[in-house]
Amino acid sequence: MIRLSKPVKLLEWGHGSNTTNQRWIEMGKGSIVGKPRTVDGITTLVIQFDKKVEKSNPGDDTVKVAQAGEGMTPLEKEAWGEVAFGRVKSISTEGGGAVVEVEVKSPVKVGR
């Protein structure tokens, strides 16, 4: 379940030649802005970051959205669990921060 009141961490699939040197790399920590909208079964999350966000792997737009204490994590606030898996629709910079739109094709449950 995606909790709108909790911060999120966005992770991208790293750039490498095989599964040994590819890994999920943190793009940044931010928060979900507004209510996610769903059109034709695709949920769009708008995530705002305080710092600039850049993709290091231009060949793959796959991302994970993680939240502390959610997903398949123990009840610890330090553990980040995956709550959504999707692709980057757009990245826009605003001042010193950034806004990233993520499209999630799988069913998503959203709560406060």
Side-chain angles (χ1 to χ4, degrees), residues 53-94:
V53 174
E54 292 183 12
K55 288 195 53 60
S56 61
N57 183 2
D60 192 350
D61 58 357
T62 307
V63 291
K64 281 185 183 183
V65 179
Q67 289 185 312
E70 296 296 325
M72 304 230 2
T73 60
L75 297 174
E76 299 176 16
K77 294 188 179 190
E78 295 86 29
W80 290 79
E82 177 185 339
V83 293
F85 183 82
R87 69 171 205 85
V88 174
K89 181 178 178 181
S90 68
I91 298 176
S92 60
T93 57
E94 294 179 353

